[in-house]
Structure formats: C-alpha cells, structure tokens
Amino acid sequence: MRVKKIAIIGGGTAGWLAANHLAVELRAEQDISITVIESAEIGIIGVGEGTVPHIRKSLQKFGISEAELLAECDATFKVGIKFIDWLAPGQNQAANSYYHPFSSPYPGGLDVTAMYLQNAADMKFSSLTEVAALADAMKAPKKVSSGPFEAPINYAYHFNALKFGQLLARNATERLGVHRKQATVVDAVVSSSGDVDYLLTKEGEQLQFDFFVDCTGFNSLLLGGLYKVPFVDKSSQILTDTALTVQIPTDPNGEIPPYTLAKAHAAGWLWDIPLTNRRGVGFVYASSLMPEERALEGLAAHLGQRPDRLSPRKIGMRIGYREKFWHQNVVALGLAQGFVEPLEATSIFVTDLAAELFARNFSPERGTMAAAAAYCNQVVAYTWERVMDFVQLHYCISDRRDSEFWRLNTEAAQISEVLAQRLAMWRVNPPKKSDFFSRFDLFDVENFLFVLYGMKYPTKARAMTSNEVQVYVRELNQVKGLEKALAGELIGHREWLSGFLAAYREMQRK
C-alpha cells in the first residue's frame, strides 16, 4: 500500500519545518498531499528565538530568501553566545565571561590548543578567532556587499518565533503546495494493523490520512498520548525545569548585540536575545531549588525593573525525549518528540535535523517503513543523548559552589558514561576530531573546545617544539590581523540592519 495523504498535527515552528522539509523531498511524488492541521484554540510556545548556522541551509533548501527572513521576522544576526558568570567570581569580575562563537578554533586550519594550554592563565580561548572582539564591538557579521547567506564571519539568526512560523507557513502553502486546515484534534482511532486510521476533532470531524506527524507540543497527542511511547527522563542530568519569559521593547536607535547573552545565576541562567524591536528575556531555573518569587526578583534585577511591574509568562520544561520518535505510521517532531532547556539553541536545531532526517528517509511505500523507522529512531536517540551531554557540560565543569544548585551540578552530577569518559580523556589530552565519531554529534570538537576552555577546564599542558611555537604564533598573529581588518570593514549591527530594511522597503514599493 502507498501513502498518499500526510497530516501534520500542529503548526508552529515544528509543524511548518516538517511541512517544508517533506514538501521539498516529496515534490516529485505527484499523488501525495500534505496537510497541516492547526487549532485556533491551542497556542504555541514561541520562545525559541535563537538558532545555529544550519538553519541557513534549510532556508535555502526551502527557497526562502534571507531578505524575507530579515524583513519579516524582526531578525538579527547571531555570531555565537556570550556566557557570563558561569565560573566562580574571581578578583577580576570582567574576566568571568567567554564566547562560544560559530567560527573555527583552528587558525589557518591548525590545532593550536597546546599554545592556549601553555598560556591559559593569561589568554582567552576565544582569542583563537576574530569573533569575540568584533562581537563586543557590536559589528555585523556581514559586509554591506555580502551576498545572501554569505559573510566573512559564520552566523545564525535571532528572530520572532511566531513570525518565523508564519513565514514557513506562507512558503509551504504558496510555493510548495502544502494544504492548511483549521481544526482541533482531540483523539485518534487505531486500525487493526496498529496504525492510526483517522483523527477525531473537537468540531466532530473524522479526518482520515495515511501518515501522521505529531507536532502537538508537550502534549505529544499521538506518540505519547495514544501509543504511550515511553519518555526518557533526563531531569537528573539537567536540573532546570522552569522559565519566566518577557519581551521588552528597545530603543530603535540603540546598539544590537550580535550574540545571545547567557548569564548564570544561583539556580540556573538567564537568556537575553536581541531582535530589531525588542529583547526576549528568559529566566531559567530549577524550581525545586529556587521559589518563583526569587526567580521573578532575579529577572527584574537583570531588567532594572521592579518585580511587581512584570507579568512574565511561566513555562514548565520537561527534560528528556521519547524512546522512539517514529512508531507505526506516526512521527513526532519538536516538543512532542523531546526537549532540553534552551541553552545553546538546541530546540529548533534538533527539530530541523530530525525533520530533515525523517523527510529524506521517508518512502511512500508502506513496506519500506520499518527499516527506515528503526534507523531514524537509533539516530535521533543518539542525537538527544549527545545534546544532553553538551548542555550538561556547561554546568558540570563549573567551579561555582555558591549554592545548592551548583553543588548538585558539580559535586553530585549524574553524567552519562560517554561524557564521563570524554572528560577523563580531556584531562590528559585536549579534544580532537576523532573523539566525535558520528556526524550526529551535533555539537562536536569545535563546540566542546570553546566551552571547555572558556570555562578553564584543566587539561594537562604539553610541551611544544620551538618550530611549533613559531608556527602557532604566526597563525595567532594572522587572526589578530584579520580581526583588525574586519574591524575596519564591518559596520555596526544596527547600522547594517537599518540600511538593509530601508533598502528592502524601497524595493517593495517599486
């Protein structure tokens, strides 16, 4: 039997990413229709406003121009994440920060980590790239002359998540032929084969399809609710479980940081994401270790406001993932599949990768699904495990011990065997490419290097030959030269965006 009708239950970023990926991969299959079923009654989380560079590839694949994204989604550029207070306070408070940029830590293609380790007391690991100084100077990563999706500095975006979902929806329906239906799905009926046969809606309809993509958020209506696929709970590894979020208007002429700010506090951390017209700020914390009143006070203090003037949105976070994301004729994506707190912008990243993996391995012939499902389930479970490791890394290697939260994350941390083995190895030798043997390690050696040595991980320094020192110094000097050159060539982030938006609107008028 052949799949001809695919239903995606739930819109938002996950649903419309799935719709675009499927529509592109199945564009030659003329007898297949894709329908996104959205409910006017059920809202979306809509706070995933940070991305990683992979999103640029997906946008190009979908046929969405960078100009559309920037103009329609209040978008700004993101060259990485600036971490503050993830280490214990020292004599020099200003030094307690580091960058995880999207650039490579290998100047000229060379691994110069040995040079850093010999000079760790006086050197920031992020100085191996040109990005940190340019980000602090509020420079845009693109030149005025840079082409679409191109720049001298690798970058991603911050954007309004609601508007991004709307952009994906327009592209899917207007350019890729995806159908759209308003209905509230409340249940589903399973056939004798074990597959979902049809959906039941609040409006009294029976909607029959051949395949179903569950994008119903934390409810996980089909995969979790109907099929009871077990949830792999990771709350013992990632202790944060709640976020208070607000949106703050900004000065239309003020500078725009080209990075996400991630500032640690006594029971978690705080994000601050700049868009063209506002900031999205979220206070992430472990509710068992900090009452909501104190969390609100912390959020207010960061914003310089009184707590009673704020009305934040409270979001509970269930950390973990479904044991399988593909079961029978159902695939779950987005929050219906799994979630880890928003550190390192993992949510959209994993959703995008899983949607692409599913779309590329999907076959309309039912007889081929079992093998594809088994493979995809294995890949996605591995991906989630390694993502959990990377997020936990930020906590477990900290030297903070000033609260119960930090003591639990360090002295009593429950970490995976893989991460424990890697951390033991990295006390002797720094990470190398061969330590990451799967392409589904979404965060690999370069990402780990920035976090490990941004947080002063104590890898044993090794001796270097005089020739190595000479070569490494030359490469680092070239980084400084590039940094100086780009500082003169790149304009301010706000200036670049303002100039682009003015030019875009002028073109639209013509």
Side-chain angles (χ1 to χ4, degrees), residues 49-53 55-56 59 65-67 69-71 73-81 99 102 131 134-135 138-144 146-160 255-261 272-276 490-501:
E49 299 186 318
T51 59
V52 298
I55 196 68
R56 285 155 53 198
L59 292 171
S65 72
E66 186 170 53
L69 175 77
L70 293 173
C73 299
D74 309 327
T76 61
F77 295 120
K78 174 186 174 184
V79 299
I81 304 172
Y99 273 97
F102 294 135
V131 174
L134 296 170
M138 305 293 176
K139 297 288 188 177
K142 292 169 73 81
K143 299 179 183 179
V144 173
S146 295
F149 301 110
E150 296 177 354
I153 295 176
N154 198 18
Y155 67 94
Y157 311 98
H158 303 119
F159 49 57
N160 180 311
E255 291 290 355
I256 302 176
Y259 54 81
T260 298
L261 177 68
D272 199 326
I273 292 178
L275 304 186
T276 54
L490 298 175
I491 65 175
H493 191 196
R494 168 74 76 180
E495 182 183 359
W496 194 102
L497 291 168
S498 297
F500 160 78
L501 289 171

Side-chain angles (χ1 to χ4, degrees), residues 148-412:
F149 301 110
E150 296 177 354
I153 295 176
N154 198 18
Y155 67 94
Y157 311 98
H158 303 119
F159 49 57
N160 180 311
L162 178 61
K163 292 184 178 181
F164 181 61
Q166 293 168 346
L167 175 63
L168 291 173
R170 284 196 301 275
N171 190 72
T173 55
E174 296 174 8
R175 296 175 180 165
L176 300 176
V178 173
H179 304 290
R180 192 174 196 171
K181 179 177 176 60
Q182 286 285 330
T184 301
V185 177
V186 294
D187 205 350
V189 173
V190 175
S191 69
S192 58
S193 68
D195 281 353
V196 172
D197 190 10
Y198 57 88
L199 305 172
L200 298 173
T201 72
K202 186 177 180 180
E203 296 79 11
E205 295 178 279
Q206 293 184 4
L207 305 178
Q208 194 155 24
F209 291 89
D210 304 315
F211 199 93
F212 302 84
V213 182
D214 185 349
C215 296
T216 58
F218 288 126
N219 289 332
S220 193
L221 182 68
L222 300 185
L223 198 71
L226 182 69
Y227 283 122
K228 310 296 182 190
V229 172
F231 185 80
V232 181
D233 191 330
K234 290 292 179 176
S235 59
S236 63
Q237 290 177 241
I238 311 296
L239 305 185
T240 50
D241 62 358
T242 310
L244 301 180
T245 70
V246 293
Q247 297 176 353
I248 305 296
T250 53
D251 177 359
N253 299 311
E255 291 290 355
I256 302 176
Y259 54 81
T260 298
L261 177 68
K263 186 176 182 179
H265 60 76
W269 63 285
L270 175 148
W271 80 71
D272 199 326
I273 292 178
L275 304 186
T276 54
N277 58 346
R278 65 168 169 82
R279 292 156 58 197
V281 182
F283 194 90
V284 182
Y285 63 103
S287 62
S288 63
L289 300 170
M290 176 179 282
E292 186 176 339
E293 294 76 15
R294 277 196 59 203
L296 181 59
E297 290 170 1
L299 176 61
H302 174 75
L303 297 172
Q305 298 189 22
R306 284 171 36 187
D308 59 359
R309 295 290 181 89
L310 296 177
S311 298
R313 180 183 180 191
K314 184 178 179 180
I315 300 172
M317 301 182 296
R318 191 181 185 195
I319 309 300
Y321 61 93
R322 295 287 165 187
E323 200 173 75
K324 295 186 290 184
F325 93 111
W326 188 338
H327 181 69
Q328 297 290 135
N329 62 336
V330 172
V331 156
L333 295 171
L335 303 180
Q337 178 194 108
F339 184 74
V340 61
E341 54 134 285
L343 192 68
E344 295 285 357
T346 55
S347 185
I348 291 178
F349 191 16
V350 175
T351 298
D352 191 24
L353 264 293
E356 184 177 45
L357 177 76
F358 159 59
R360 287 186 170 178
N361 285 278
F362 178 79
S363 169
E365 306 303 327
R366 288 180 182 269
T368 65
M369 282 190 191
Y375 167 72
C376 290
N377 284 332
Q378 182 181 13
V379 166
V380 171
Y382 178 87
T383 296
W384 273 116
E385 287 290 337
R386 302 289 75 78
V387 166
M388 297 288 173
D389 283 351
F390 187 58
V391 170
Q392 189 178 16
L393 176 77
H394 298 69
Y395 296 106
C396 70
I397 64 172
S398 174
D399 63 353
R400 287 189 65 158
R401 302 291 188 274
D402 55 299
S403 67
E404 184 66 12
F405 176 83
W406 289 103
R407 288 188 288 274
L408 288 173
N409 269 296
T410 53
E411 298 170 357

Side-chain angles (χ1 to χ4, degrees), residues 439-480:
R439 68 174 297 270
F440 297 107
D441 281 283
L442 301 191
F443 298 97
D444 59 14
V445 60
E446 299 187 357
N447 309 107
F448 274 79
L449 282 168
F450 281 119
V451 175
L452 282 169
Y453 300 128
M455 298 185 71
K456 303 293 183 182
Y457 192 71
T459 302
K460 181 181 178 181
R462 71 166 179 83
M464 295 179 289
T465 67
S466 58
N467 182 61
E468 282 179 313
V469 172
Q470 184 178 359
V471 172
Y472 294 167
V473 168
R474 183 191 68 208
E475 293 300 332
L476 290 175
N477 286 336
Q478 289 183 354
V479 169
K480 287 298 177 186

Side-chain angles (χ1 to χ4, degrees), residues 45-64:
I45 294 294
V47 296
E49 299 186 318
T51 59
V52 298
H54 184 270
I55 196 68
R56 285 155 53 198
K57 295 180 180 179
S58 293
L59 292 171
Q60 289 175 286
K61 172 183 173 179
F62 302 158
I64 296 175

